Amino acid sequence: MSAAALSAASAASGLLSAPAAVTAASPVIPDYGDASQCVQNNGLFCGDWFVQQWPVIFAPALLSHIMMTLIAVVIGFIIAFAAALYAHRMQWFAGPFGAVSAFLYTLPPLALFQLLVPITGLTLLTVEIALVAFTLMILFRATIAGLNNVSPDVRRAGVGMGLTRGQILRRIELPLAIPSIISGLRIATVLTVSIATIAAFVIDTGLGSPILKAISSPFNTQFIGAGALAVLLAFAFDGVLALLGRLLSPWTKARA
Amino acid sequence: MREFSRRALLRSGALATASLALAGCAGQDKPGPSDAITVGSKGFAESWITGELYAQALRALGLQVTLKTNVGSSEIIDQALTSGQIDLYPEYTGVIVMSLAGREELLATGAETYQVAKEFEASRGVTLLEATPFENKNAIAVTKAFADEHGLKTIDDLRGIGDFVYSTYPDNVSGGQGYEAIVREYRLPNMKLKTLSIGLNYQAIERGEIQAADVFTTDPQLLRSDLVVLEDTLNLFGFQNVAPAIRSDVLERHGSEVSDVLNRISELLTLEAIQTMNAASAVNRLDPSQVAKMFLDANDLL
């Protein structure tokens, strides 16, 4: 095609004509190379591509997923634990807090994320508020149950030893509630790992992001890679918490 | 003693996690200095790549840039722009005219479409910088064999060649650029419809299940297949060049260095350039950030 024909063609197709002073730019187009056969044919799992893209796609996604989960569980635990201690002393409080946290727990996660967007925007804050909301019921109930299940005899023995109410809580009730609290934390953490994948609808973060981005142009390795990492992460958190529970309540080992 | 160590463990564990969590919070979303810029992109690969091009080139100027990828559709990202959640993003001129400004009538040229889009954005405190030479819009493609057989060059040529099947995606049947509009405007009663999800039409046309397909002009699959795009003589599909939409107050704060580099990127984005980058993303499965980095590197923008 001659230059004249070319310019005629571009004029005919109604493209933006560049100002007369500027000649049309010709970009340097890099060679992106060829993908492996597995990648080109969308094989079930392309290990070579996964390893190659680990530092670019998967490691940042995994790291942000871990941070997202930790922040939500820690803040959720602080709120639920404080509420449980208060409810333990003020029985009337357990009903309303339990009801509100149960209501939050029943909301569809995606709907809650979208409801918050107009208020707190497309930010990490939006994501964390929603994630914390989902942890409250489990953590509150686990803590309350642990505290209330301490046998009255043990409590009376404490009173007999001359312990104050605060001392009974700290030295008797809380230690005995540890197994229950830990089991609540394990459920809440695994739940948060899975719900946090939906956060990608709000901000481009966590393991949900590579999954969401591969939907419009399906690529198995990206789905399976990110999905498997989420499952492994849930297992890892669960294992670490189980171990922590063992360390904090050595007396349960004999029974376990 | 055991009691003590357990409590110490509890306390240090709680402290460690709390400080971790706080550190995580502190590292996010902190309002940066006034030279910070937030770039957004829409919900598909071409937009992710363009957003990366903008963000990385602005970073190379020494600005602090946050990139919000995959913000959402035109309406959502436009709202993010006007409400200040992002400062700029790549938008298609025809989309601004049709979806955001809500103009119904067809415009005659790409330049006119750009002008109308620019004026509309300016009325809301948004500056539309220079547009790309490439367009990404709907088009009708047929196989080369089918085109040769019937001597097809334009969509008009499809009139009177006997019944044939055209495919588009399910939500593009009514609407201004949909199947019904094409049949009406080009008077093609012989064009029958088959709806297919985006991405399935290439296989279908290669297998001969359909004879004509609704395609996007920058789709890398179009480059790799043996298809011919028919000329849209009525400009039914409008004009869809890409231009950076940036809030005017942000532009004023930064002066010309920002607009210069963004205009330079637009200028480099020819059809071949964007098709190659789309292919690097869709076929080679490189991350948009890698695709953009290599392109900016090759063109001395980093």
Side-chain angles (χ1 to χ4, degrees):
Chain A
M1 208 182 202
S2 70
L6 232 160
S7 63
S10 72
S13 63
L15 290 179
L16 290 178
S17 43
V22 184
T23 49
S26 45
V28 181
I29 298 174
D31 178 11
Y32 289 104
D34 282 324
S36 67
Q37 278 305 310
C38 174
V39 171
Q40 287 191 28
N41 305 327
N42 192 11
L44 189 61
F45 187 81
C46 309
D48 59 331
W49 181 87
F50 182 81
V51 171
Q52 186 201 342
Q53 293 299 339
W54 169 260
V56 183
I57 298 175
F58 297 101
L62 180 64
L63 207 64
S64 57
H65 207 92
I66 293 172
M67 282 319 294
M68 226 184 338
T69 305
L70 280 178
I71 292 170
V73 172
V74 168
I75 294 176
F77 182 68
I78 291 170
I79 296 172
F81 188 74
L85 287 186
Y86 189 74
H88 184 58
R89 193 154 285 198
M90 306 283 175
Q91 287 296 330
W92 64 266
F93 184 66
F97 189 88
V100 169
S101 62
F103 167 72
L104 290 172
Y105 183 75
T106 58
L107 294 173
L110 191 53
L112 184 56
F113 281 127
Q114 297 302 347
L115 279 173
L116 288 167
V117 167
I119 307 161
T120 44
L122 299 162
T123 59
L124 185 71
L125 184 65
T126 302
V127 169
E128 293 297 352
I129 290 173
L131 290 178
V132 165
F134 286 106
T135 64
L136 292 178
M137 183 189 82
I138 297 168
L139 295 171
F140 178 74
R141 287 190 184 177
T143 313
I144 275 283
L147 291 173
N148 289 350
N149 284 347
V150 174
S151 107
D153 292 347
V154 177
R155 222 175 265 135
R156 271 198 292 272
V159 175
M161 287 163 68
L163 297 179
T164 63
R165 219 167 152 176
Q167 285 172 319
I168 290 177
L169 179 71
R170 275 195 306 277
R171 294 193 193 172
I172 298 172
E173 291 174 323
L174 277 178
L176 288 175
I178 283 174
S180 175
I181 293 173
I182 290 284
S183 69
L185 273 171
R186 286 171 66 179
I187 300 169
T189 308
V190 169
L191 176 84
T192 305
V193 169
S194 94
I195 295 182
T197 54
I198 303 174
F201 281 95
V202 177
I203 47 171
D204 182 49
T205 186
L207 289 164
S209 161
I211 295 174
L212 189 67
K213 284 183 180 166
I215 286 175
S216 56
S217 157
F219 185 45
N220 296 332
T221 312
Q222 198 154 320
F223 289 135
I224 293 173
L229 284 173
V231 172
L232 289 173
L233 183 61
F235 270 117
F237 268 130
D238 194 55
V240 167
L241 283 166
L243 199 68
L244 185 71
R246 279 269 179 86
L247 288 170
L248 292 176
S249 52
W251 62 89
T252 56
K253 224 183 321 194
R255 274 176 275 153
Chain B
M1 192 63 228
R2 163 162 290 173
E3 161 102 2
F4 167 77
S5 62
R6 189 177 67 234
R7 196 176 297 162
L9 185 65
L10 249 179
R11 205 172 284 150
S12 58
L15 267 173
T17 11
S19 54
L20 243 175
L22 284 173
C25 274
Q28 303 274 355
D29 294 329
K30 51 173 180 286
S34 64
D35 70 348
I37 288 193
T38 306
V39 180
S41 60
K42 295 165 83 173
F44 48 96
E46 187 168 280
S47 189
W48 302 334
I49 293 167
T50 321
E52 286 280 359
L53 289 170
Y54 295 174
Q56 292 182 30
L58 291 174
R59 257 181 221 135
L61 295 177
L63 295 166
Q64 205 193 341
V65 182
T66 312
L67 177 62
K68 290 193 171 181
T69 310
N70 210 13
V71 171
S73 64
S74 297
E75 285 76 11
I76 293 173
I77 198 165
D78 178 59
Q79 217 246 318
L81 179 74
T82 48
S83 68
Q85 293 187 39
I86 59 170
D87 297 325
L88 77 144
Y89 80 100
E91 187 52 284
Y92 296 76
T93 51
V95 169
I96 297 172
V97 172
M98 286 183 260
S99 306
L100 301 179
R103 272 182 69 128
E104 301 271 321
E105 63 273 31
L106 298 176
L107 295 165
T109 64
E112 196 187 345
T113 306
Y114 173 76
Q115 218 42 51
V116 172
K118 192 179 169 80
E119 280 158 25
F120 168 74
E121 289 288 24
S123 72
R124 313 181 305 154
V126 174
T127 304
L128 201 60
L129 297 173
E130 294 299 319
T132 57
F134 91 81
E135 288 185 86
N136 180 7
K137 60 182 177 186
N138 294 71
I140 296 180
V142 295
T143 58
K144 193 161 182 331
F146 190 74
D148 291 343
E149 184 188 342
H150 298 282
L152 306 173
K153 286 202 166 45
T154 69
I155 301 176
D156 291 291
D157 298 340
L158 291 166
R159 203 173 304 131
I161 61 164
D163 282 7
F164 68 97
V165 183
Y166 161 86
S167 83
T168 184
Y169 42 101
D171 47 356
N172 194 36
V173 174
S174 48
Q177 304 173 14
Y179 163 79
E180 288 167 7
I182 300 168
V183 169
R184 192 177 55 241
E185 300 295 326
Y186 278 102
R187 304 195 304 284
L188 296 172
N190 55 331
M191 183 163 101
K192 304 300 170 210
L193 172 69
K194 181 183 175 76
T195 54
L196 290 170
S197 316
I198 289 181
L200 294 180
N201 46 7
Y202 287 92
Q203 295 162 17
I205 201 165
E206 274 160 25
R207 283 202 298 265
E209 291 165 15
I210 55 174
Q211 287 72 48
D214 176 19
V215 295
F216 289 104
T217 49
T218 59
D219 190 327
Q221 291 195 81
L222 189 58
L223 202 64
R224 293 163 54 219
S225 59
D226 204 17
L227 299 179
V228 179
V229 171
L230 301 179
E231 198 189 323
D232 174 25
T233 45
L234 297 179
N235 295 329
L236 189 70
F237 297 124
F239 299 90
Q240 300 283 10
N241 306 85
V242 177
I246 180 165
R247 276 209 326 286
S248 306
D249 59 297
V250 178
L251 205 53
E252 276 155 29
R253 251 206 327 270
H254 292 280
S256 62
E257 62 167 359
V258 166
S259 51
D260 286 350
V261 79
L262 293 172
N263 287 338
R264 175 74 186 137
I265 291 170
S266 288
E267 187 187 22
L268 291 170
L269 291 178
T270 57
L271 184 62
E272 193 193 353
I274 198 73
Q275 273 179 331
T276 309
M277 285 195 271
N278 282 343
S281 162
V283 182
N284 300 25
R285 296 288 169 181
L286 294 173
D287 192 68
S289 62
Q290 296 165 300
V291 176
K293 185 175 184 298
M294 284 173 74
F295 184 81
L296 291 171
D297 243 345
N299 292 282
D300 300 325
L301 281 163
L302 285 185

